[in-house]
Amino acid sequence: MKNTTQHLFDKLNEFISKFYKNQLIRGGIYSASVLLIFFLVFSILEYYSQFDVVVRSILFWTYILTNAFILYRYVIIPLLHLYRYGKIMSMEVAANIIGKHFSEVDDKLLNVLQLHKMSEQDNALIQASINQKINEISSFSFSSVINFSENKKYSKWLAFPLLIVLFFFASGNKHILTESSARIIKHNTFFEPKAPFDFIIDEGNLKVVKQEDFELSLVLKGNEIPDKVFVVVGNNKFRLKKLNVTTHNYVFKNVITNTDFLLFANGFYSKNYTLNILPKPAIINFELLISPPKYTGIKREAITNIGDLNIPEGSRVNWTFDVKNTDRLFLRIENKKHLAKPLTKDKMAFNYRFRKSEFYQIITENDFEISDSISYHINIISDAFPVIVVEQEIDSAEQKIFFSGMAKDDYKISKLEFHYQIKKKENTIDEIVDIAIEKVYKKLEIKKRF
C-alpha cells in the first residue's frame, strides 16, 4: 500500500509542477505584453513630444522598474518554484485546487493527506481508511486540472502590440519607434528637437578655392517638406533659392576664409557645417633678366613683374618667381610644357632663349589639384642685315675713280672693308682697304690705270 500512497504523492507533485509551468507561460505572456505596450506608448509619446532630460529619465526608469517587477513576479518566481526553490505550494493547497475541479474528489484527497500524517503511528485502521480513499480517487488525473491551451485567451495582449510594432516597420515609419526609444535609452543626453525632415548636402564637397564662388546644393527629405530654407552664417540669415519642392541652392560669393554655417527651416536647425578654403596657387612676384646676344652690344636688363616683352632676336630670358601655395610651376612655350626649377619652397626659376615672336603661358599648380595660369606675348626684334650705299665718281682727266658711300646696321658695324680689283692684260690685282668704323662718311680715291 505504500506504493499506492507514493503514486498519489507523485501525481500531486506532477500537478504542482504543471501548475508552475502554467504560471510561467502566463507570466511570459504578461511580461512580453507589458514590455511591448510600454515600449509603444513611451516611444510614441517621446517622438511627438520630444521630452527633456527629466521626463525621459522618468520614462526610462518607469519602464525598467515596471518590467523588472513584472518579470520577477510572473516569470522568475514561478521558474524558481518549478525547480523547488523558495516557498513551494503544499500538497494540501494542491488538494484544495484539485477538489474545486473534481466534485467527486471533493474533500477525499485532503482527508488522505490528513490521515497519512496519522498513519505514521502505524495504526492499521487508519491505513485501511487511507487505502480506501486512494482507491476512490486514483482514477482521476490531477494534472488535467491545468490546461495550457487556456493561455491562448491571454495571447491577445501580446499579439495586439506586436501587430502595431510590425505595422510601424512595414509602413516605413519604424523611425518613430527606433529614434524615440534611442533617446529614452540615452535619457541623460540632451537632444535638439528632431525635425520631421532631413537636410541633405554633399559634405565631402564643402571645398572652394579662395576668392571664388561656391554653390551649395540642398535636398530636403522627410515627411514634412518646408517651403522656405535659410542658411545661417554668423548672425545673418540668407534665404536659399527654391528650384523645386525638395531642392534649394545658395551661392557663397568670393569666399576668402573658412566659413561655418547652419541650415534653418520651420524652426529646426541642421548640424554645423564648415565650408573649407583651398589655397590657390599664386605668383607673388617675378623678376626677369634679359640677356641679348653679345654682338648687339646691348647690356643685360633686369625688370620686375612684366610679362610682355620686346627683345632682340636670340635673347635669353631668366625668370625668378616668388610663389605661394604652389607646388609646381610650368611655362608653356611653343606648345611644350617646361617645368621650372625649384630653388626654395617659395621660389622657382626658369630660362629660355627666344628666336621668334610668340605667346607663352605661366602655369601654377598645387597638390590640391588647383591650378592657375596667365598668358603673355614675346615680340622679337629681328636682326636685320647691314645696309651699304655706294656712289662712284670718275675723274678721267686725272685717271682717278672716287668711291663714297654710307654703311649702317640696326645695332653696330664692327668691321668695314673696301674690296676692289684692277685687271691688266697680264694679271689681276686684288686689293682690300680697311675703313675706320667711327667715320660716317668715307671718300676713297683709286687711280685708274690703263
Side-chain angles (χ1 to χ4, degrees):
M1 293 300 175
K2 187 174 182 180
N3 290 336
T4 304
T5 305
Q6 184 61 45
H7 179 66
L8 177 66
F9 290 164
D10 289 341
K11 291 174 69 174
L12 284 172
N13 285 324
E14 182 183 352
F15 168 80
I16 293 171
S17 294
K18 194 171 182 181
F19 178 86
Y20 286 129
K21 286 180 182 178
N22 189 63
Q23 277 197 333
L24 187 60
I25 293 171
R26 189 173 300 176
I29 295 174
Y30 287 162
S31 298
S33 300
V34 171
L35 185 146
L36 281 176
I37 292 171
F38 273 55
F39 171 76
L40 283 170
V41 172
F42 287 1
S43 296
I44 294 171
L45 285 174
E46 163 59 20
Y47 181 81
Y48 288 103
S49 301
Q50 299 191 13
F51 297 119
D52 58 18
V53 172
V54 174
V55 177
R56 279 189 284 115
S57 295
I58 294 173
L59 293 179
F60 175 80
W61 288 112
T62 300
Y63 185 84
I64 294 296
L65 295 175
T66 301
N67 283 281
F69 173 77
I70 297 295
L71 189 66
Y72 174 77
R73 174 66 180 81
Y74 293 101
V75 176
I76 295 177
I77 289 180
L79 187 62
L80 291 173
H81 288 168
L82 180 63
Y83 289 96
R84 298 299 190 267
Y85 291 101
K87 187 177 181 181
I88 309 301
M89 177 190 296
S90 67
M91 289 189 179
E92 287 79 3
V93 174
N96 283 325
I97 296 174
I98 294 170
K100 292 178 181 179
H101 286 79
F102 296 109
S103 59
E104 297 86 344
V105 173
D106 199 11
D107 294 332
K108 293 177 183 178
L109 182 58
L110 188 58
N111 290 337
V112 169
L113 296 175
Q114 292 171 347
L115 290 171
H116 176 70
K117 292 180 180 180
M118 296 175 63
S119 70
E120 292 176 356
Q121 300 174 0
D122 295 328
N123 187 315
L125 181 63
I126 295 175
Q127 187 63 50
S129 178
I130 292 174
N131 292 337
Q132 180 185 357
K133 293 182 181 296
I134 290 175
N135 289 330
E136 292 175 358
I137 64 175
S138 61
S139 62
F140 292 92
S141 175
F142 300 155
S143 61
S144 63
V145 173
I146 307 298
N147 186 3
F148 290 151
S149 62
E150 290 183 356
N151 291 312
K152 291 180 180 178
K153 63 183 179 182
Y154 301 107
S155 62
K156 63 184 179 181
W157 296 103
L158 177 61
F160 184 68
L162 185 59
L163 286 174
I164 296 176
V165 171
L166 293 176
F167 170 77
F168 275 105
F169 276 79
S171 63
N173 293 307
K174 65 178 182 179
H175 62 279
I176 294 178
L177 302 180
T178 56
E179 293 178 5
S180 55
S181 60
R183 290 196 296 271
I184 293 175
I185 292 172
K186 299 178 181 179
H187 57 94
N188 287 326
T189 304
F190 173 76
F191 291 95
E192 287 285 351
K194 184 69 173 66
F197 55 86
D198 294 319
F199 299 98
I200 301 175
I201 65 175
D202 185 0
E203 295 185 53
N205 193 39
L206 290 177
K207 301 173 185 177
V208 61
V209 178
K210 188 175 183 179
Q211 293 182 323
E212 292 188 2
D213 296 344
F214 176 80
E215 182 175 349
L216 174 69
S217 180
L218 167 68
V219 176
L220 297 170
K221 185 178 180 181
N223 300 320
E224 302 175 16
I225 304 300
D227 182 61
K228 298 178 183 179
V229 185
F230 298 85
V231 60
V232 182
V233 181
N235 295 321
N236 301 310
K237 281 186 181 179
F238 306 96
R239 184 175 175 179
L240 277 71
K241 181 180 179 181
K242 184 176 181 179
L243 303 181
N244 54 49
V245 175
T246 60
T247 307
H248 300 250
N249 72 352
Y250 178 77
V251 178
F252 291 85
K253 295 285 189 179
N254 190 30
V255 185
I256 58 175
T257 60
N258 289 349
T259 303
D260 296 324
F261 67 93
L262 297 161
L263 297 169
F264 173 80
N266 283 8
F268 295 98
Y269 287 91
S270 71
K271 68 177 184 179
N272 285 302
Y273 298 102
T274 300
L275 177 58
N276 294 297
I277 295 298
L278 295 179
K280 183 177 183 179
I283 298 173
I284 306 302
N285 180 71
F286 66 96
E287 297 178 352
L288 299 88
L289 180 62
I290 302 171
S291 303
K294 290 183 179 180
Y295 69 83
T296 63
I298 301 175
K299 294 182 179 180
R300 293 193 300 177
E301 181 182 7
I303 58 177
T304 301
N305 298 328
I306 297 177
D308 294 319
L309 303 174
N310 289 298
I311 57 176
E313 180 181 353
S315 297
R316 180 172 292 277
V317 180
N318 291 270
W319 287 270
T320 302
F321 299 94
D322 294 320
V323 296
K324 183 179 181 181
N325 304 318
T326 301
D327 297 298
R328 292 166 298 279
L329 187 145
F330 300 91
L331 279 89
R332 186 185 294 277
I333 304 172
E334 297 185 36
N335 292 323
K336 292 182 180 179
K337 204 173 180 181
H338 305 272
L339 179 64
K341 178 182 179 181
L343 302 179
T344 64
K345 179 182 178 182
D346 297 321
K347 191 178 287 290
M348 300 182 183
F350 181 74
N351 69 83
Y352 191 83
R353 186 182 297 278
F354 289 90
R355 301 188 182 278
K356 63 178 181 178
S357 298
E358 61 185 295
F359 289 93
Y360 72 98
Q361 189 178 35
I362 302 173
I363 305 168
T364 53
E365 296 180 358
N366 62 23
D367 292 337
F368 293 96
E369 298 182 356
I370 301 171
S371 64
D372 195 15
S373 64
I374 188 170
S375 297
Y376 294 107
H377 183 258
I378 295 286
N379 182 51
I380 294 298
I381 302 171
S382 300
D383 188 1
F385 290 103
V387 176
I388 299 176
V389 179
V390 179
E391 294 181 357
Q392 175 181 294
E393 181 182 345
I394 299 175
D395 187 347
S396 55
E398 296 186 8
Q399 297 184 347
K400 294 181 179 179
I401 300 175
F402 296 93
F403 294 91
S404 62
M406 179 268 296
K408 65 178 182 178
D409 188 63
D410 47 0
Y411 295 113
K412 75 172 186 177
I413 298 174
S414 58
K415 186 176 183 180
L416 182 63
E417 296 178 338
F418 185 81
H419 293 238
Y420 66 93
Q421 291 180 336
I422 300 176
K423 294 184 177 181
K424 295 184 179 182
K425 293 181 179 180
E426 300 83 6
N427 59 8
T428 300
I429 300 173
D430 292 317
E431 295 288 345
I432 299 175
V433 179
D434 286 327
I435 300 175
I437 299 300
E438 64 273 9
K439 293 183 178 180
V440 178
Y441 178 83
K442 178 74 175 178
K443 190 170 185 180
L444 183 65
E445 176 184 333
I446 300 177
K447 293 182 179 180
K448 186 178 179 183
R449 301 180 185 276
F450 301 95

